[in-house]
Amino acid sequence: MRLQEIVASIQDYIPGVDAEPLRKAYAFVRHHHQGQTRASGEPYVTHVTEVAYLATKLRLDLDSVLTALLHDTVEDTDATINNIREEFGEPVAKLVDGVTKLSKVNFQSRAEQQAENFRKMLLAMASDIRVLLIKLCDRTHNMRTLEFLSESRRIRIAQETLDIYAPLAHRLGINWMKSELEDLSFRHLKPDVYAMIKDRVAQKKKERDKYIASVVKLIERELTDNGITGDVSGRSKHFYSIYRKMETQGLDFDEIYDLIAFRVIVPTTMDCYSALGVVHAAWKPIPGRFKDYIAMPKPNSYQSLHTTVIGPQGTRVEIQIRTPEMHDVAERGIASHWVYKEKGEGAEASNAQLQLAWLKDLVESEKNLTDPHEFLAMVKGDLFPEEVFVFSPRGDVIALKYGATPVDFAFHIHSEVGRNCAGARVNGQQVPLSYKLSNGDTVEIQTNKQQKPSKDWLEFAVTSKAQQRIRAYLRSEEREKSIAVGREVLSKDLRKVGENLNKLIKSGKLQEVGESLGLRDEEALFAEIGYGKLTSKQIIRKVCPQVSAIDEKLAREQTTMERIFSSAARVFRDRSGIKVNGLDDVVFRFAKCCEPLPGDELVGYITRGRGIAIHKRGCPQTLSFDPQRLISVDWDSDAKTQRMIRLRVLSTDRVGMLADMSQSISATGANMVTVHASATPDGKAMNTFEISVESTDQLSSIIRALEKLDGVIRVERASDHRGGRY
């Protein structure tokens, strides 16, 4: 991408813009990236110029395009933010700093690095949304050239893109970018399934193109006959959306009928509704498939009428109807709100206009979350693309995540309303708190100050805000219990040696001991005893050094941690290959809610009297645990470990299907223990395999082998999602 193409592109929407800063920035990056190449072998400057060109396709202002050119100089060269500030001004320096990753900071884990990078970008984009728009351009070009990286890096980057960046593009309303990021991620995460869908779509391309052309003419003729002028176009749905429909609805490719979508662009909003009437008069609409995003826009400002009809030849077709202004918002999203000054002297955007409610919630939540896994889980949940629109009793429209319940609604209104939520009425009828809300529901929350959040709420609350507030309350309750336990244990053991707890507190001795251990007060000390991280014996030795018979008097008393770290566990440890905090003799068990495998990052949870529960890091169950009771856990690299997992495979019910799947699993070297197959009501087969595997890598190989088979619709790892009760 040559500089003149970038200049020509920006001059197309900012006539008369001064191109000299672009030439200066181009020379700057050529100098600083001199000699650097990408994994493809191309000069590194090709990447930054492509990113700058993508920024012009979003019609961003001059400072944004300059930032796109400069975005990697601070991270990958000897240039500094001060250099950028001196050469290109403070606004560009701020944007570059917001886009720059935290690559020069050492983190304990990849999850922590990913979380901290996103935290920085989140805070930067909260004050200037252009940071995210430039970052999306950067990620889009990186995804276009992902094939030159190693497989492990491809998978990691593609998964991050699918989890975070594609949903962000959706949240900002940039539909073309969202679709491209999803398809590129899908191509690298499930290459065999991607290739299958691509091949099947290509097989009927000529037939489909002919069908699209005929339907476009029919719609245009119907509109003209009714006095409506409009631009009509048709397209195939992108590959990832086809895959998602196959996966979520349990369909084989041949069972998906609405692979084609048509777009009708008409001059006015009134024409949109008139065109809808014309379409419904010509073809039978499918009940439940009409959505009016004009009267009720999405949070990203997207507006359109959506309907699905039985079109010519009995084929299901989706039709979207919108105005040119709505189409601009649909294509460029929030970037379409940029308003340019006269004579093209840069761009202005109203912060109030561009401020998004979901972004405010993310920034607010970021302040309260220190655990990187919990933060990333919250972000991914909050970016979930599907939504349900409900009404408050006052008639306010509230958008919630699809599957939301009255508990999610209550926490959306206010944290206090959520904490004291005792019941709910939907459309005037009393419903359980686990009731799933539907579009158009009117929701009324009943509160009671005696009501407190329950752990059961986490089983049906789906919004990140509700989940975070519930977990925070549960952690607070857990800490209070640990403080009470620790206080009681210490008081009891002090009495055995003739000392009084209240006396020690009043004298300040206990505060001094706590401070010497790095604890801020007596409550923190009690909590540590309650968690099992300190023993009452350790504290008594410090506050009562004159007591010589402590060991004899307390020897018969086992504390929580002494029971946990017992030598009886050595044999079990050798068999399971786990190290807890570097110790060998630990009583522990694997949590059934996530069934960790060698290769998964681990975390241990100190239970009360049942040893340590081993979870995968990021397991939803652990997010409600008190962080003080979590400890470091690692796999023993010297131990050969076999773990049992279950796979569920939805497939067509054809002859030989089960044999083909069994053979594919065996070919990976894994040992099948049990197999169970049953027919589903819609004529398919649900197959459950219990398999002994060595690692996550072997599991991935098994899943890929199964996905290659003709007739396999969905492969998923089965876990006991009820989790443990500690």
Side-chain angles (χ1 to χ4, degrees):
M1 183 62 58
R2 297 185 300 275
L3 174 64
Q4 49 265 44
E5 292 179 85
I6 298 171
V7 172
S9 183
I10 194 172
Q11 287 178 339
D12 182 54
Y13 60 92
I14 313 181
V17 66
D18 184 7
E20 185 54 35
L22 288 169
R23 297 189 183 97
K24 182 179 178 182
Y26 184 70
F28 186 90
V29 298
R30 282 184 65 88
H31 169 71
H32 284 279
H33 287 295
Q34 182 68 36
Q36 293 182 351
T37 57
R38 307 194 79 216
S40 62
E42 294 178 309
Y44 198 87
V45 73
T46 60
H47 167 65
V48 295
T49 51
E50 288 286 352
V51 174
Y53 186 72
L54 283 171
T56 67
K57 293 297 98 179
L58 289 180
R59 301 169 69 89
L60 299 184
D61 63 316
L62 179 60
D63 283 349
S64 298
V65 180
L66 289 171
T67 301
L69 279 170
L70 299 162
H71 77 272
D72 275 337
T73 51
V74 173
E75 182 181 339
D76 295 332
T77 76
D78 59 358
T80 66
I81 287 295
N82 283 334
N83 296 148
I84 302 293
R85 185 177 294 108
E86 291 168 3
E87 296 289 335
F88 304 100
E90 181 63 26
V92 173
K94 282 186 176 180
L95 285 173
V96 171
D97 188 47
V99 178
T100 300
K101 298 176 189 174
L102 301 180
S103 58
K104 297 177 182 177
V105 179
N106 293 320
F107 296 100
Q108 294 181 355
S109 68
R110 180 172 291 155
E112 184 182 350
Q113 184 172 21
Q114 184 188 39
E116 290 307 315
N117 283 335
F118 194 78
R119 280 183 199 272
K120 183 180 182 185
M121 188 174 71
L122 175 66
L123 294 174
M125 73 189 193
S127 60
D128 196 329
I129 202 69
R130 291 175 296 176
V131 168
L132 180 53
L133 295 171
I134 297 162
K135 185 64 183 174
L136 285 171
C137 293
D138 177 40
R139 180 53 63 110
T140 299
H141 185 252
N142 281 333
M143 289 299 296
R144 289 176 178 178
T145 56
L146 201 60
E147 68 269 19
F148 297 103
L149 301 182
S150 66
E151 182 181 10
S152 61
R153 290 187 67 195
R154 288 201 309 271
I155 291 174
R156 176 175 60 82
I157 294 171
Q159 190 64 59
E160 180 184 68
T161 300
L162 194 61
D163 288 343
I164 293 179
Y165 289 97
L168 277 171
H170 170 81
R171 278 289 193 175
L172 297 181
I174 312 171
N175 285 337
W176 69 266
M177 186 175 280
K178 172 239 183 191
S179 297
E180 182 175 350
L181 290 174
E182 285 179 341
D183 274 357
L184 290 170
S185 299
F186 177 38
R187 174 187 167 193
H188 292 285
L189 291 172
K190 294 188 177 292
D192 298 307
V193 183
Y194 176 89
M196 179 275 290
I197 293 177
K198 182 179 180 182
D199 182 60
R200 300 286 283 276
V201 169
Q203 287 175 10
K204 297 184 178 181
K205 185 178 186 304
K206 288 184 179 179
E207 177 184 336
R208 188 173 56 256
D209 288 347
K210 183 178 178 181
Y211 181 82
I212 288 174
S214 66
V215 174
V216 165
K217 287 183 180 179
L218 285 172
I219 296 175
E220 287 176 337
R221 187 177 66 200
E222 292 289 340
L223 292 175
T224 301
D225 290 347
N226 286 274
I228 302 172
T229 59
D231 178 42
V232 185
S233 59
R235 59 175 177 81
S236 298
K237 292 190 174 180
H238 66 287
F239 299 150
Y240 184 71
S241 68
I242 296 172
Y243 165 73
R244 286 290 297 151
K245 183 160 289 190
M246 291 171 60
E247 185 184 48
T248 56
Q249 298 182 17
L251 301 173
D252 190 41
F253 180 86
D254 293 330
E255 296 176 296
I256 298 179
Y257 300 108
D258 51 344
L259 294 176
I260 302 171
F262 292 88
R263 183 174 297 137
V264 179
I265 299 178
V266 292
T268 68
T269 299
M270 186 61 70
D271 289 333
C272 290
Y273 290 98
S274 299
L276 177 70
V278 169
V279 168
H280 282 181
W283 297 297
K284 184 178 180 180
I286 296 175
R289 296 300 300 273
F290 168 65
K291 295 179 180 178
D292 187 346
Y293 292 119
I294 293 179
M296 198 176 294
K298 291 186 178 183
N300 59 18
S301 300
Y302 175 89
Q303 289 183 289
S304 194
L305 298 177
H306 288 200
T307 187
T308 302
V309 299
I310 304 296
Q313 303 175 24
T315 302
R316 286 189 179 197
V317 293
E318 181 183 309
I319 299 175
Q320 301 171 356
I321 306 170
R322 60 181 70 138
T323 66
E325 294 77 18
M326 294 174 191
H327 182 62
D328 187 37
V329 172
E331 289 300 297
R332 297 197 296 119
I334 202 166
S336 65
H337 291 289
W338 247 257
V339 181
Y340 292 92
K341 296 178 183 178
E342 292 183 5
K343 300 180 182 179
E345 297 175 357
E348 287 184 321
S350 165
N351 287 331
Q353 183 184 30
L354 298 180
Q355 192 61 268
L356 304 173
W358 62 269
L359 185 53
K360 287 181 179 178
D361 286 343
L362 274 179
V363 173
E364 180 184 348
S365 298
E366 182 274 335
K367 298 174 183 176
N368 302 318
L369 294 176
T370 56
D371 180 76
H373 296 86
E374 184 173 356
F375 174 65
L376 286 175
M378 183 273 296
V379 168
K380 292 172 185 177
D382 211 51
L383 294 178
F384 196 88
E386 296 185 57
E387 290 158 326
V388 61
F389 297 89
V390 297
F391 294 95
S392 71
R394 295 187 303 178
D396 297 326
V397 178
I398 294 173
L400 297 170
K401 183 176 175 180
Y402 182 78
T405 65
V407 167
D408 298 294
F409 179 90
F411 277 102
H412 180 88
I413 298 301
H414 196 276
S415 294
E416 284 298 319
V417 175
R419 277 197 292 270
N420 301 137
C421 177
R425 295 172 66 87
V426 174
N427 303 325
Q429 300 295 317
Q430 197 75 31
V431 298
L433 294 180
S434 58
Y435 176 85
K436 292 189 184 305
L437 301 174
S438 301
N439 281 319
D441 282 346
T442 298
V443 187
E444 179 184 356
I445 300 298
Q446 300 156 333
T447 60
N448 184 327
K449 290 187 177 181
Q450 303 304 314
Q451 177 68 44
K452 300 300 178 187
S454 162
K455 191 169 186 177
D456 293 336
W457 289 8
L458 290 173
E459 296 180 6
F460 51 78
V462 298
T463 61
S464 60
K465 186 172 185 178
Q467 290 173 343
Q468 182 198 343
R469 299 297 190 273
I470 295 167
R471 287 170 183 147
Y473 175 81
L474 293 175
R475 284 196 291 260
S476 173
E477 287 287 288
E478 187 72 25
R479 176 176 167 79
E480 291 301 318
K481 290 179 183 176
S482 294
I483 290 172
V485 169
R487 185 184 187 104
E488 183 180 349
V489 168
L490 183 57
S491 178
K492 180 180 177 182
D493 287 346
L494 280 168
R495 285 198 299 271
K496 292 177 182 178
V497 295
E499 286 290 346
N500 180 275
L501 177 62
N502 290 331
K503 180 180 176 182
L504 290 173
I505 292 174
K506 289 179 181 179
S507 69
K509 284 187 177 181
L510 214 57
Q511 176 78 20
E512 292 175 9
V513 171
E515 290 176 354
S516 71
L517 296 170
L519 304 172
R520 66 177 181 274
D521 53 29
E522 293 96 342
E523 283 197 347
L525 187 145
F526 296 147
E528 291 289 290
I529 297 172
Y531 294 140
K533 293 189 173 183
L534 286 176
T535 68
S536 57
K537 185 190 298 185
Q538 289 173 299
I539 306 304
I540 294 174
R541 281 190 180 132
K542 288 181 176 291
V543 296
C544 309
Q546 75 281 9
V547 181
S548 59
I550 293 175
D551 289 341
E552 289 77 13
K553 292 186 178 182
L554 298 181
R556 293 184 298 274
E557 302 292 329
Q558 277 193 313
T559 64
T560 302
M561 286 301 287
E562 287 172 324
R563 289 195 300 272
I564 291 173
F565 293 102
S566 66
S567 58
R570 282 182 180 149
V571 175
F572 187 61
R573 173 261 176 187
D574 292 339
R575 187 169 70 246
S576 301
I578 289 289
K579 290 182 178 179
V580 179
N581 237 2
L583 299 175
D584 295 340
D585 51 349
V586 183
V587 174
F588 66 91
R589 57 196 170 83
F590 289 104
K592 291 184 178 180
C593 52
C594 53
E595 292 288 359
L597 283 178
D600 290 327
E601 286 190 67
L602 303 177
V603 66
Y605 176 66
I606 304 172
T607 68
R608 298 193 187 280
R610 298 177 63 194
I612 295 175
I614 309 297
H615 292 262
K616 285 171 59 177
R617 273 205 178 275
C619 170
Q621 285 290 322
T622 66
L623 300 181
S624 61
F625 295 161
D626 192 316
Q628 296 298 322
R629 294 176 68 180
L630 299 177
I631 61 172
S632 298
V633 179
D634 294 305
W635 293 102
D636 184 356
S637 57
D638 297 328
K640 294 293 183 182
T641 307
Q642 291 282 333
R643 296 277 297 135
M644 300 300 298
I645 60 100
R646 285 180 297 143
L647 283 182
R648 279 198 296 261
V649 184
L650 181 65
S651 69
T652 54
D653 193 9
R654 65 170 172 83
V655 176
M657 185 81 250
L658 185 58
D660 289 346
M661 289 189 288
S662 299
Q663 185 176 356
S664 294
I665 293 171
S666 298
T668 66
N671 179 39
M672 282 190 300
V673 179
T674 62
V675 180
H676 180 265
S678 59
T680 62
D682 55 355
K684 296 182 177 62
M686 178 59 76
N687 312 274
T688 303
F689 298 88
E690 192 170 0
I691 309 168
S692 177
V693 299
E694 296 178 353
S695 65
T696 52
D697 289 340
Q698 187 178 32
L699 177 60
S700 297
S701 298
I702 295 170
I703 292 173
R704 286 196 298 269
L706 290 171
E707 288 176 337
K708 289 180 182 179
L709 295 176
D710 185 31
V712 169
I713 298 169
R714 182 174 68 239
V715 183
E716 61 185 6
R717 185 174 168 186
S719 297
D720 179 4
H721 293 291
R722 293 168 297 175
R725 298 293 182 194
Y726 305 124

